Amino acid sequence: MSGRPPMPQTPDEEPSIKLHEGWHCLHVYYRVNQQALNALSPEDRAQGREEVGHWLNPEREGAPERLQVSVTSGHRADLGVMMMDPDPLVIDAVCQGVRSSKLGTVLEPTYSFVSLTEISEYVPTVEQFSEKLQREGANPEDDMFKARVRGYEQRLPAMNKQRIYPDIPPYPVVCFYPMNKIRDPHANWYDLPFSARSELMAEHATSGIKFAGKVSQLITASTGLDDWEWGVTLWGRNPAYIKDIVYTMRFDKASARYAEFGPFYIGYVMSASEALEHLRV
Ligand code: 76R
């Protein structure tokens, strides 16, 4: 039994590639091919920069709802783009725009990750929040108890909106990695009852909240869409906080026992034109 009811589905619903709730999300990483860059005439290179600047401009008319560019450290990629939109083809159009530009041979995609925003089934409802306080010994007649429940009730809609229609925080560092919860015979997440998973996720959330104001996280779901179950996007006020939070969470049971991780991408946020300048394109 999961905590949240399934999304509304009606038998006469129109077929659509848009979601009932939430956004499509794509992380795509590019490497600069120096040979292809050397082969461009100065005119084509200038035109390519303009075209890519156009496609990767979040202010462009028709741009995805969210678009963030970063320069990636290490050999895996040079440039990262994260996009979110109700329409997956609006996101794909950016990829096709970059590919078909004069820089199309220069910017080689090296990695991508397809996912959807979601409200996790482990986000406590107001009732679950209130029950948890009572289990911890709070008295429901207390004014303090009532204030905490009311506070949660007031915060929850905005928190849920941020989970499915996220604003990107104004932090300079962005980290992305995919992850699974394992299904090993000795530790099978999917064999645990909801109550046990919920408890582990509550411990996980408590450890995450300690990084409020330093790290902001977005979990996007990818079962059926990509090779891993979730994408983890972390934005940091400083790269050290990214290291600290990921290390801290390794000790949470939900990660220590049940998580496995894919490749990590760490990048520094900038505009497309700043990124192309930095990459000497
Ligand atoms: O959304 C919420 O804030 C409610 C509590 C919460 C949920 C349900 C939460 C809090 N997370 C949730 C779900 Mn998380 N999270 C990760 C990673 O590196 C690792 O070990 C794990 C990668 C990080 C760094 C992180 C950070 N979280 C999830 C899920 C989905 C599970 C499912 O639905 O089955 C995954 C895969 C996952 C992984 N998490 C937080 C954080 C932080 C910083 C918080 C506190 C957020 C806050 O309230 O400020």
Side-chain angles (χ1 to χ4, degrees), residues 110-180:
T110 58
Y111 186 73
S112 67
F113 195 79
V114 179
S115 57
L116 306 177
T117 63
E118 71 165 7
I119 301 173
S120 161
E121 63 195 287
Y122 308 111
V123 173
T125 61
V126 176
E127 294 69 41
Q128 287 165 339
F129 181 81
S130 148
E131 283 160 17
K132 180 165 173 276
L133 291 183
Q134 291 177 63
R135 275 200 308 276
E136 289 166 359
N139 174 359
E141 299 308 318
D142 246 33
D143 283 351
M144 186 63 183
F145 173 93
K146 289 180 190 156
R148 286 186 68 186
V149 173
R150 211 176 321 114
Y152 187 73
E153 189 166 24
Q154 282 166 356
R155 282 199 312 278
L156 192 57
M159 281 157 59
N160 280 341
K161 179 162 178 278
Q162 175 62 17
R163 288 171 183 124
I164 50 175
Y165 306 109
D167 280 321
I168 297 178
Y171 290 168
V173 188
V174 60
C175 169
F176 173 77
Y177 54 99
M179 68 176 283
N180 289 337

Coordinates of all heavy atoms in Angstrom, one line a residue, residues 110-180:
T110 N 26.9 13.6 -24.6 CA 27.6 12.4 -24.0 C 26.8 11.7 -23.0 O 27.1 10.6 -22.6 CB 29.0 12.9 -23.4 OG1 28.6 13.8 -22.4 CG2 29.9 13.5 -24.4
Y111 N 25.8 12.4 -22.5 CA 24.9 11.8 -21.5 C 23.6 12.5 -21.4 O 23.5 13.7 -21.6 CB 25.6 11.8 -20.1 CG 24.9 11.0 -19.0 CD1 24.9 9.7 -19.0 CD2 24.1 11.7 -18.0 CE1 24.2 8.9 -18.0 CE2 23.4 11.0 -17.1 CZ 23.5 9.6 -17.1 OH 22.8 8.9 -16.1
S112 N 22.5 11.8 -21.1 CA 21.3 12.4 -20.9 C 20.5 11.6 -19.9 O 20.7 10.4 -19.8 CB 20.5 12.6 -22.2 OG 20.1 11.3 -22.7
F113 N 19.5 12.2 -19.3 CA 18.6 11.5 -18.4 C 17.2 12.1 -18.5 O 17.0 13.3 -18.3 CB 19.2 11.7 -16.9 CG 18.6 10.7 -16.0 CD1 19.0 9.4 -16.0 CD2 17.5 11.1 -15.2 CE1 18.4 8.5 -15.1 CE2 16.9 10.2 -14.3 CZ 17.4 8.9 -14.3
V114 N 16.3 11.2 -18.7 CA 14.9 11.6 -18.9 C 14.1 11.2 -17.7 O 14.1 10.1 -17.2 CB 14.3 10.8 -20.1 CG1 12.8 11.2 -20.3 CG2 15.1 11.1 -21.4
S115 N 13.3 12.2 -17.1 CA 12.5 11.9 -15.9 C 11.3 12.8 -15.8 O 11.1 13.7 -16.7 CB 13.4 12.1 -14.7 OG 14.0 13.4 -14.7
L116 N 10.5 12.6 -14.8 CA 9.3 13.4 -14.6 C 9.4 14.0 -13.1 O 9.8 13.3 -12.2 CB 8.1 12.6 -14.7 CG 7.8 11.8 -16.0 CD1 6.5 11.0 -15.9 CD2 7.8 12.7 -17.2
T117 N 8.9 15.2 -12.9 CA 8.8 15.7 -11.5 C 7.6 14.9 -10.9 O 6.7 14.4 -11.6 CB 8.5 17.2 -11.5 OG1 7.2 17.5 -12.1 CG2 9.6 18.0 -12.2
E118 N 7.7 14.7 -9.6 CA 6.6 14.0 -8.9 C 6.6 14.4 -7.4 O 7.6 15.0 -6.9 CB 6.8 12.5 -9.0 CG 8.0 12.0 -8.1 CD 8.0 10.5 -7.9 OE1 7.1 9.8 -8.5 OE2 8.8 10.0 -7.1
I119 N 5.5 14.2 -6.8 CA 5.4 14.3 -5.3 C 5.6 12.9 -4.8 O 4.8 12.0 -5.1 CB 4.1 14.9 -4.8 CG1 3.9 16.3 -5.4 CG2 4.0 15.0 -3.3 CD1 2.5 16.9 -5.2
S120 N 6.6 12.6 -4.1 CA 6.9 11.3 -3.6 C 5.8 10.8 -2.7 O 5.1 11.6 -2.0 CB 8.2 11.3 -2.8 OG 8.3 10.2 -2.0
E121 N 5.6 9.5 -2.7 CA 4.5 8.9 -1.9 C 4.9 9.0 -0.4 O 4.1 8.7 0.5 CB 4.3 7.4 -2.2 CG 5.5 6.5 -2.0 CD 5.4 5.2 -2.8 OE1 4.6 4.4 -2.3 OE2 6.1 5.0 -3.8
Y122 N 6.2 9.4 -0.1 CA 6.6 9.5 1.3 C 6.4 10.9 1.9 O 6.8 11.1 3.0 CB 8.0 9.0 1.5 CG 8.2 7.6 0.9 CD1 8.9 7.5 -0.3 CD2 7.6 6.5 1.4 CE1 9.1 6.2 -0.9 CE2 7.7 5.3 0.8 CZ 8.4 5.1 -0.3 OH 8.5 3.9 -0.9
V123 N 6.0 11.8 1.1 CA 5.7 13.2 1.7 C 4.5 13.0 2.6 O 3.4 12.6 2.2 CB 5.4 14.2 0.6 CG1 5.0 15.5 1.2 CG2 6.7 14.4 -0.3
P124 N 4.7 13.3 3.9 CA 3.6 13.1 4.8 C 2.4 14.0 4.5 O 2.6 15.2 4.2 CB 4.2 13.5 6.2 CG 5.7 13.5 6.0 CD 5.9 13.8 4.6
T125 N 1.2 13.4 4.6 CA 0.0 14.2 4.6 C -0.1 14.9 5.9 O 0.6 14.6 6.9 CB -1.3 13.3 4.4 OG1 -1.3 12.5 5.5 CG2 -1.2 12.5 3.1
V126 N -1.1 15.9 6.0 CA -1.3 16.6 7.3 C -1.6 15.6 8.4 O -1.1 15.7 9.5 CB -2.3 17.7 7.1 CG1 -2.6 18.4 8.5 CG2 -1.9 18.7 6.1
E127 N -2.4 14.6 8.1 CA -2.8 13.6 9.1 C -1.6 12.8 9.5 O -1.4 12.6 10.7 CB -3.9 12.6 8.5 CG -5.2 13.3 8.2 CD -5.2 14.2 7.0 OE1 -4.5 13.9 6.0 OE2 -5.8 15.3 7.1
Q128 N -0.8 12.4 8.6 CA 0.4 11.6 8.9 C 1.4 12.5 9.8 O 2.0 12.0 10.7 CB 1.1 11.1 7.6 CG 0.4 10.0 7.0 CD 0.9 9.7 5.6 OE1 1.5 10.6 4.9 NE2 0.6 8.5 5.1
F129 N 1.5 13.8 9.4 CA 2.4 14.7 10.2 C 1.9 14.8 11.6 O 2.6 14.7 12.6 CB 2.4 16.0 9.5 CG 3.2 17.1 10.2 CD1 4.6 17.1 10.0 CD2 2.7 18.0 11.0 CE1 5.4 18.0 10.6 CE2 3.5 18.9 11.7 CZ 4.9 19.0 11.5
S130 N 0.6 14.9 11.8 CA 0.0 15.0 13.1 C 0.1 13.7 13.9 O 0.5 13.8 15.1 CB -1.5 15.4 12.9 OG -2.3 14.9 14.0
E131 N -0.1 12.6 13.2 CA 0.1 11.3 13.9 C 1.5 11.1 14.4 O 1.8 10.6 15.5 CB -0.3 10.1 13.0 CG -1.8 10.0 12.8 CD -2.1 9.2 11.5 OE1 -1.2 8.5 11.0 OE2 -3.2 9.2 11.1
K132 N 2.5 11.6 13.5 CA 3.9 11.4 13.9 C 4.2 12.3 15.2 O 4.9 11.8 16.1 CB 4.8 11.9 12.7 CG 6.3 11.8 13.0 CD 7.1 11.9 11.7 CE 8.6 11.9 12.0 NZ 9.0 13.3 12.3
L133 N 3.7 13.5 15.2 CA 3.9 14.3 16.4 C 3.3 13.6 17.7 O 3.9 13.6 18.7 CB 3.2 15.7 16.3 CG 3.8 16.7 15.2 CD1 3.1 18.0 15.3 CD2 5.3 16.9 15.5
Q134 N 2.2 13.0 17.5 CA 1.6 12.3 18.6 C 2.4 11.1 19.0 O 2.5 10.8 20.2 CB 0.1 11.9 18.3 CG -0.8 13.2 18.2 CD -2.2 12.8 17.8 OE1 -2.9 12.1 18.5 NE2 -2.6 13.3 16.6
R135 N 2.9 10.4 18.1 CA 3.8 9.2 18.4 C 5.0 9.7 19.2 O 5.5 9.0 20.0 CB 4.2 8.5 17.1 CG 3.2 7.4 16.6 CD 3.8 6.4 15.7 NE 4.6 7.1 14.6 CZ 4.0 7.5 13.5 NH1 2.7 7.3 13.3 NH2 4.8 8.0 12.5
E136 N 5.5 10.9 18.8 CA 6.6 11.5 19.5 C 6.3 12.0 20.9 O 7.1 12.6 21.6 CB 7.3 12.5 18.7 CG 8.0 12.0 17.4 CD 8.4 13.0 16.4 OE1 8.1 14.2 16.6 OE2 8.9 12.7 15.4
G137 N 5.0 11.9 21.2 CA 4.5 12.3 22.6 C 3.9 13.7 22.7 O 3.5 14.1 23.8
A138 N 3.6 14.3 21.6 CA 2.9 15.6 21.7 C 1.5 15.4 22.0 O 0.8 14.4 21.6 CB 3.1 16.4 20.3
N139 N 0.9 16.4 22.7 CA -0.5 16.3 23.1 C -1.3 17.2 22.2 O -1.1 18.4 22.0 CB -0.6 16.9 24.6 CG -2.1 17.0 25.0 OD1 -3.0 16.7 24.3 ND2 -2.2 17.5 26.3
P140 N -2.3 16.5 21.5 CA -3.1 17.2 20.4 C -3.9 18.4 21.0 O -4.4 19.2 20.2 CB -4.0 16.1 19.8 CG -3.7 14.9 20.6 CD -2.6 15.1 21.6
E141 N -4.1 18.5 22.3 CA -4.8 19.6 22.9 C -3.9 20.8 23.1 O -4.4 21.9 23.3 CB -5.4 19.2 24.3 CG -6.4 18.0 24.2 CD -7.5 18.2 23.1 OE1 -8.0 19.4 23.1 OE2 -7.8 17.3 22.4
D142 N -2.6 20.6 23.0 CA -1.6 21.6 23.2 C -1.7 22.7 22.1 O -1.8 22.4 20.9 CB -0.2 21.0 23.1 CG 0.5 21.1 24.5 OD1 -0.2 21.0 25.5 OD2 1.7 21.2 24.4
D143 N -1.5 24.0 22.5 CA -1.5 25.0 21.5 C -0.3 24.9 20.5 O -0.4 25.1 19.3 CB -1.4 26.4 22.2 CG -2.8 26.8 22.7 OD1 -3.8 26.1 22.4 OD2 -2.8 27.8 23.5
M144 N 0.8 24.4 21.1 CA 2.1 24.2 20.3 C 1.8 23.2 19.3 O 2.2 23.4 18.1 CB 3.2 23.8 21.3 CG 4.5 23.6 20.8 SD 5.1 25.3 20.2 CE 6.7 24.8 19.5
F145 N 1.2 22.1 19.7 CA 0.9 21.0 18.7 C 0.0 21.6 17.6 O 0.3 21.3 16.4 CB 0.1 19.9 19.5 CG -0.4 18.8 18.5 CD1 0.4 17.7 18.3 CD2 -1.6 18.9 17.9 CE1 -0.1 16.7 17.5 CE2 -2.1 17.9 17.1 CZ -1.3 16.8 16.9
K146 N -1.0 22.3 18.0 CA -2.0 22.8 16.9 C -1.2 23.8 16.0 O -1.5 23.8 14.8 CB -3.1 23.6 17.6 CG -4.1 22.6 18.3 CD -5.2 23.3 19.0 CE -6.0 22.4 19.9 NZ -6.7 23.1 20.9
A147 N -0.3 24.6 16.6 CA 0.4 25.6 15.7 C 1.3 24.8 14.7 O 1.4 25.2 13.6 CB 1.2 26.5 16.6
R148 N 1.9 23.7 15.2 CA 2.8 23.0 14.3 C 2.1 22.3 13.2 O 2.5 22.3 12.0 CB 3.6 22.0 15.1 CG 4.7 22.6 15.9 CD 5.6 21.6 16.6 NE 6.4 20.9 15.6 CZ 7.2 19.8 16.0 NH1 7.3 19.4 17.2 NH2 7.9 19.2 15.0
V149 N 0.9 21.7 13.5 CA 0.1 21.1 12.5 C -0.4 22.2 11.5 O -0.4 22.0 10.3 CB -1.1 20.3 13.1 CG1 -2.0 19.8 12.0 CG2 -0.5 19.1 13.9
R150 N -0.9 23.3 12.0 CA -1.4 24.4 11.2 C -0.3 24.9 10.3 O -0.5 25.1 9.1 CB -2.0 25.5 12.0 CG -3.1 26.2 11.3 CD -3.8 27.3 12.1 NE -4.0 26.9 13.5 CZ -3.4 27.5 14.5 NH1 -2.5 28.5 14.3 NH2 -3.6 27.2 15.8
G151 N 0.9 25.0 10.9 CA 2.1 25.5 10.1 C 2.4 24.6 8.9 O 2.6 25.0 7.8
Y152 N 2.4 23.2 9.2 CA 2.6 22.3 8.1 C 1.6 22.3 7.1 O 1.9 22.3 5.9 CB 2.7 20.8 8.8 CG 3.2 19.8 7.7 CD1 4.5 19.8 7.3 CD2 2.2 18.9 7.2 CE1 4.9 18.8 6.4 CE2 2.7 17.9 6.3 CZ 4.0 17.9 5.9 OH 4.4 17.0 5.0
E153 N 0.3 22.4 7.5 CA -0.8 22.5 6.6 C -0.7 23.7 5.7 O -1.0 23.6 4.5 CB -2.1 22.6 7.4 CG -3.4 22.5 6.6 CD -4.6 22.2 7.5 OE1 -4.6 22.6 8.7 OE2 -5.6 21.6 7.0
Q154 N -0.2 24.8 6.2 CA 0.0 26.0 5.4 C 1.1 25.9 4.5 O 1.1 26.4 3.4 CB 0.1 27.3 6.3 CG -1.2 27.7 6.9 CD -1.1 28.7 8.1 OE1 0.0 29.0 8.5 NE2 -2.2 29.2 8.5
R155 N 2.2 25.2 4.9 CA 3.4 25.1 4.0 C 3.3 24.1 2.9 O 3.9 24.2 1.9 CB 4.6 24.7 4.9 CG 5.2 25.8 5.7 CD 6.6 25.4 6.2 NE 6.8 24.0 6.7 CZ 6.5 23.7 8.0 NH1 6.0 24.6 8.8 NH2 6.6 22.4 8.4
L156 N 2.5 23.0 3.2 CA 2.4 21.9 2.3 C 2.1 22.2 0.8 O 2.8 21.7 -0.1 CB 1.5 20.8 2.9 CG 1.6 19.4 2.2 CD1 3.0 18.9 2.3 CD2 0.6 18.4 2.8
P157 N 1.1 23.0 0.6 CA 0.8 23.3 -0.9 C 1.9 23.9 -1.6 O 2.3 23.5 -2.7 CB -0.4 24.3 -0.8 CG -1.0 24.1 0.6 CD 0.1 23.7 1.5
A158 N 2.6 24.9 -1.0 CA 3.8 25.5 -1.6 C 4.9 24.5 -1.8 O 5.6 24.5 -2.8 CB 4.3 26.7 -0.8
M159 N 5.1 23.6 -0.8 CA 6.2 22.6 -0.9 C 5.9 21.7 -2.0 O 6.8 21.3 -2.8 CB 6.3 21.9 0.5 CG 7.1 22.7 1.5 SD 6.8 22.3 3.2 CE 7.2 20.6 3.3
N160 N 4.6 21.3 -2.1 CA 4.3 20.3 -3.2 C 4.4 21.0 -4.6 O 4.8 20.4 -5.5 CB 2.9 19.8 -3.0 CG 2.9 18.7 -1.9 OD1 3.9 18.1 -1.7 ND2 1.7 18.4 -1.4
K161 N 4.0 22.3 -4.6 CA 4.2 23.0 -5.9 C 5.6 23.0 -6.3 O 6.0 22.8 -7.5 CB 3.6 24.4 -5.8 CG 3.7 25.2 -7.0 CD 2.8 26.4 -7.0 CE 3.0 27.2 -8.3 NZ 4.1 28.1 -8.3
Q162 N 6.5 23.3 -5.4 CA 8.0 23.3 -5.6 C 8.5 21.9 -6.1 O 9.4 21.8 -6.9 CB 8.7 23.8 -4.4 CG 10.2 23.8 -4.5 CD 10.8 24.7 -5.6 OE1 10.1 25.6 -6.1 NE2 12.0 24.4 -6.0
R163 N 7.8 20.8 -5.6 CA 8.3 19.5 -6.0 C 7.9 19.2 -7.5 O 8.6 18.5 -8.2 CB 7.6 18.4 -5.1 CG 8.3 18.4 -3.7 CD 7.6 17.6 -2.7 NE 8.2 17.7 -1.4 CZ 7.6 18.1 -0.3 NH1 6.3 18.3 -0.3 NH2 8.3 18.2 0.8
I164 N 6.7 19.7 -7.9 CA 6.3 19.3 -9.3 C 6.4 20.4 -10.3 O 6.5 20.1 -11.5 CB 4.8 18.8 -9.3 CG1 3.9 19.7 -8.5 CG2 4.8 17.3 -8.7 CD1 2.4 19.2 -8.6
Y165 N 6.4 21.7 -9.9 CA 6.7 22.8 -10.8 C 7.8 23.6 -10.2 O 7.6 24.8 -9.8 CB 5.4 23.7 -11.0 CG 4.2 22.8 -11.4 CD1 3.2 22.6 -10.5 CD2 4.2 22.2 -12.7 CE1 2.1 21.8 -10.9 CE2 3.1 21.4 -13.1 CZ 2.1 21.2 -12.2 OH 1.0 20.4 -12.6
P166 N 9.0 23.1 -10.1 CA 10.1 23.7 -9.3 C 10.6 25.0 -9.9 O 10.8 25.1 -11.1 CB 11.2 22.6 -9.3 CG 10.7 21.5 -10.1 CD 9.4 21.8 -10.7
D167 N 10.9 25.9 -9.0 CA 11.7 27.0 -9.3 C 13.2 26.6 -9.1 O 13.5 25.9 -8.1 CB 11.4 28.2 -8.4 CG 10.2 29.0 -8.9 OD1 10.0 29.1 -10.1 OD2 9.4 29.4 -8.0
I168 N 14.1 27.1 -9.9 CA 15.5 26.7 -9.7 C 16.1 27.8 -8.8 O 16.0 29.0 -9.0 CB 16.2 26.7 -11.1 CG1 15.6 25.6 -12.0 CG2 17.7 26.5 -10.9 CD1 16.2 25.5 -13.4
P169 N 16.7 27.3 -7.7 CA 17.2 28.3 -6.7 C 18.4 29.0 -7.3 O 19.1 28.5 -8.1 CB 17.6 27.4 -5.5 CG 17.9 26.1 -6.1 CD 17.0 25.9 -7.3
P170 N 18.7 30.2 -6.7 CA 19.8 31.1 -7.3 C 21.2 30.6 -6.7 O 21.9 31.5 -6.2 CB 19.4 32.5 -6.8 CG 18.7 32.2 -5.5 CD 18.0 30.9 -5.6
Y171 N 21.5 29.4 -6.8 CA 22.8 28.9 -6.3 C 23.7 28.6 -7.5 O 23.3 28.2 -8.6 CB 22.6 27.5 -5.6 CG 21.9 27.7 -4.2 CD1 21.4 26.5 -3.6 CD2 21.7 28.9 -3.6 CE1 20.7 26.6 -2.4 CE2 21.0 29.0 -2.4 CZ 20.6 27.9 -1.8 OH 19.9 28.0 -0.6
P172 N 25.1 28.7 -7.3 CA 26.0 28.7 -8.4 C 26.5 27.3 -8.8 O 27.1 27.1 -9.8 CB 27.2 29.5 -7.9 CG 27.2 29.3 -6.4 CD 25.7 29.2 -6.0
V173 N 26.1 26.3 -7.9 CA 26.6 24.9 -8.2 C 25.5 24.0 -8.4 O 24.5 24.0 -7.7 CB 27.4 24.4 -7.0 CG1 28.1 23.0 -7.3 CG2 28.4 25.4 -6.5
V174 N 25.6 23.1 -9.5 CA 24.5 22.1 -9.7 C 25.2 20.8 -9.9 O 26.2 20.6 -10.5 CB 23.6 22.5 -10.9 CG1 24.5 22.6 -12.2 CG2 22.5 21.5 -11.1
C175 N 24.6 19.8 -9.2 CA 25.1 18.4 -9.2 C 23.9 17.5 -9.7 O 22.8 17.7 -9.3 CB 25.5 18.0 -7.8 SG 25.8 16.3 -7.5
F176 N 24.3 16.6 -10.5 CA 23.2 15.6 -11.0 C 23.8 14.2 -10.9 O 24.9 14.0 -11.3 CB 22.8 15.9 -12.4 CG 21.8 14.8 -12.9 CD1 20.5 14.8 -12.4 CD2 22.3 13.7 -13.7 CE1 19.7 13.7 -12.8 CE2 21.5 12.7 -14.0 CZ 20.1 12.7 -13.6
Y177 N 23.0 13.3 -10.4 CA 23.3 11.8 -10.5 C 22.0 11.0 -10.5 O 21.1 11.4 -9.8 CB 24.3 11.4 -9.4 CG 23.9 11.7 -8.0 CD1 23.3 10.7 -7.2 CD2 24.1 12.9 -7.4 CE1 23.0 10.9 -5.9 CE2 23.8 13.2 -6.1 CZ 23.2 12.2 -5.3 OH 22.9 12.5 -4.0
P178 N 22.0 9.9 -11.2 CA 20.9 9.0 -11.1 C 21.1 8.0 -10.0 O 22.2 7.7 -9.6 CB 20.9 8.3 -12.5 CG 22.4 8.3 -12.8 CD 23.0 9.4 -12.2
M179 N 20.0 7.4 -9.5 CA 20.1 6.4 -8.4 C 18.9 5.4 -8.5 O 17.9 5.7 -9.1 CB 20.2 7.0 -7.0 CG 18.9 7.7 -6.6 SD 19.1 8.3 -4.8 CE 18.9 6.8 -3.9
N180 N 19.2 4.3 -7.9 CA 18.1 3.2 -7.7 C 18.0 2.9 -6.2 O 18.9 3.1 -5.4 CB 18.6 1.9 -8.3 CG 18.6 2.0 -9.8 OD1 17.9 2.7 -10.4 ND2 19.4 1.1 -10.5

